[in-house]
Every structure is written in structure tokens, then in C-alpha cells.
């Protein structure tokens, strides 16, 4: 599937692996200049190099989204290297500590909130003004199925992803009429490094939660994100696009 993005600029956080890498590579293959932002310098550079080798245009950026100065610098990188910013994907995130809320270490709670929620806020705070200066565009915040349903053993992750859903709606209402469409995507379980902590038995249990009979792939989520950024979704604002193989339909 092809999208019309030629001549514009995107910033993707957490783009050094998994879903973020798939998003960055797909956007670049459709004409976008991409800032590949990741907390790992090696991973960011690897993905940017792959894009450039494939004929696209990308630059690596090292940022910890829990640090607002890093996020501001990532946006500045897009403007300095490519002349502006039109699209952003706030994808960076971590899994939560597998403990019920009555046993959760407060430090583990804070770390998940800092990255999965504050990181999205910091992104919006600096991306929106840059996109407005570039004439408008779109943002996708990567939430989760756990941003619309609960899970007994992962309270920090669930809380952060629910908050991202609400933050997306609020931002969409504030900026839709100004030319910045903001939506969220809610993937089911996807085979990425964030699931590495699961053994084979747990993975098969996760598969069983998806009526489609398998886990998702990073490329499937990347195409859904590209759609939300594209003119094909021009009437979407504040939408929660659920890509979960039927998980939440049960």
C-alpha cells in the first residue's frame, strides 16, 4: 500500500526496534524524511542507515522521552535537518512490572508513567507548535488495547495507556480546527522485544486471547499508523483505532 507523503517530515520515537522501526521504515519508503529517535544510539543509527541504504532519507536522534529536554531536541533535530515537522508518532514505551497494584513498587510505577505517559505529553508539547509552524499535519500516539480495557497484573502500564487515550482526545479537541489531527492507535499483542519476558507457554496463552488466532506484526501496526497520518483519514480526529485481532471484541 502506498501513501502520499512526499516532501514532508516525520518524527518517530522508540524507532530503534519493533513497531517504531516498522513505522519509520514504512514512512520513509513513502517519501517522508524521518527522524529516527530512540534511547539507544546504536539502534537509532541502525534503522536510519537501513532507510538511507534503501533510498530513503533519515537521521538518527538519541532521546529519552522521559526527559523533556531530549524531546525538545528531537523536534529541533527535525526542523534543523529537514526544515520543519509535519507528522509525529509517539511510540516509545516500556512494559510494566507484573505486580498487582497492592504490591507494586512505587519506583516501578513512576518509571512506566514517566516514559509511557509523560513522554507522550512532552512529545505533544513540542511537536504541536512545530507542526503548526509547518502548516499543519497529524500525530499518532501509540496506546494499547490496555488503554481501553484492564489487566489485573500490570496497573502502571494500564493506567499510563488509558491516560494516553484521554490525553489524545483532549489534544485532538484543542487542535483539530487548527490543522493538526491527533489520534491514537491501540495494538493487541505484537511480536516485538517488549514481549521477550514471556516464555513460550505465556506467548501461546496470549495468542489464545486473539480470536484471529495469532499475534500481530509490527508491519500491520505500521500500516495502520500510516493510514492515520495520511489524507485517507482526513476526517479522523480524537479517534481510537483498535488493531487487536479481535481481542477487545470478546
Amino acid at each position: 500500500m502506498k501513501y502520499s507523503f512526499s516532501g514532508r517530515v516525520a518524527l518517530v520515537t522508540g524507532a530503534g526496534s519493533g513497531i517504531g522501526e516498522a513505522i519509520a521504515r514504512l514512512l520513509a519508503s513513502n517519501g517522508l524524511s524521518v527522524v529516527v529517535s530512540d534511547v539507544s544510539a546504536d539502534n537509532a543509527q541502525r534503522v536510519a542507515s537501513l532507510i538511507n541504504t534503501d533510498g530513503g532519507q533519515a537521521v538518527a536522534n538519541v532521546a529519552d522521552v522521559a526527559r523533556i529536554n531530549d524531546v525538545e531536541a528531537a523536534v529541533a533535530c527535525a526542523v534543523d535537518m529537514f526544515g520543519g515537522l509535519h507528522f509525529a508518532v509517539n511510540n516509545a514505551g516500556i512494559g510494566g512490572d507484573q505486580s498487582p497494584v497492592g504490591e507494586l513498587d512505587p519506583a516501578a510505577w513512576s518509571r512506566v508513567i514517566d516514559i509511557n505517559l509523560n513522554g507522550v505529553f512532552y512529545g505533544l508539547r513540542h511537536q504541536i507548535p512545530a507542526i503548526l509552524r509547518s502548516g499543519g499535519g497529524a500525530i499518532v500516539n501509540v496506546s494499547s488495547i490496555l488503554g481501553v480495557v484492564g489487566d489485573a497484573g500490570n496497573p502502571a502500564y494500564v493506567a499510563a495507556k488509558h491516560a494516553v487515550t484521554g490525553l489524545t482526545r483532549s489534544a485532538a479537541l484543542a487542535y483539530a480546527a487548527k490543522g493538526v489531527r491527533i489520534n491514537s492507535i491501540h495494538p493487541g499483542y505484537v511480536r516485538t522485544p517488549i514481549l521477550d519476558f514471556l516464555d513460550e507457554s505465556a506467548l501461546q496463552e496470549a495468542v489464545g486471547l486473539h480470536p484471529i488466532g495469532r499475534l500481530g506484526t509490527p508491519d500491520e501496526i505500521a500500516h495502520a499508523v500510516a493510514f492515520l497520518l495520511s489524507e485517507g483519514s482526513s476526517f479522523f480526529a480524537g479517534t481510537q483505532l483498535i488493531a487487536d485481532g479481535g481481542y477487545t471484541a470478546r
Side-chain angles (χ1 to χ4, degrees), residues 3-210:
Y3 306 91
S4 179
F5 290 131
S6 183
R8 287 180 282 181
V9 181
L11 165 64
V12 183
T13 70
S17 64
I19 291 172
E21 175 179 352
I23 293 168
R25 295 182 70 176
L26 178 63
L27 296 182
S29 73
N30 281 272
L32 276 166
S33 299
V34 180
V35 176
V36 178
S37 185
D38 198 89
V39 70
S40 165
D42 289 344
N43 287 349
Q45 188 57 61
R46 178 185 63 82
V47 175
S49 295
L50 286 171
I51 289 171
N52 292 324
T53 298
D54 289 342
Q57 192 168 27
V59 62
N61 167 262
V62 181
D64 177 351
V65 297
R67 299 176 180 271
I68 193 169
N69 290 341
D70 282 12
V71 176
E72 182 179 16
V75 173
C77 176
V79 175
D80 293 344
M81 296 299 296
F82 299 125
L85 182 67
H86 305 91
F87 303 110
V89 182
N90 291 305
N91 165 74
I94 60 171
D97 191 353
Q98 300 296 302
S99 300
V101 67
E103 302 169 21
L104 183 64
D105 182 343
W109 165 273
S110 295
R111 176 165 168 74
V112 172
I113 297 300
D114 282 345
I115 295 171
N116 292 8
L117 175 57
N118 293 344
V120 176
F121 163 66
Y122 297 153
L124 294 172
R125 175 63 182 82
H126 290 288
Q127 294 154 7
I128 289 169
I131 292 172
L132 288 171
R133 289 192 295 269
S134 296
I139 297 172
V140 175
N141 296 324
V142 179
S143 181
S144 167
I145 51 172
L146 297 185
V148 293
V149 300
D151 181 88
N154 205 342
Y157 188 87
V158 170
K161 292 301 187 179
H162 271 72
V164 167
T165 303
L167 179 60
T168 300
R169 287 173 166 166
S170 181
L173 290 172
Y175 292 97
K178 298 179 180 180
V180 183
R181 295 185 303 104
I182 305 170
N183 296 287
S184 57
I185 187 165
H186 300 257
Y189 285 71
V190 177
R191 290 299 296 258
T192 69
I194 203 170
L195 296 184
D196 285 348
F197 72 96
L198 297 177
D199 60 23
E200 189 57 33
S201 175
L203 278 173
Q204 290 309 308
E205 183 178 348
V207 168
L209 297 173
H210 299 72

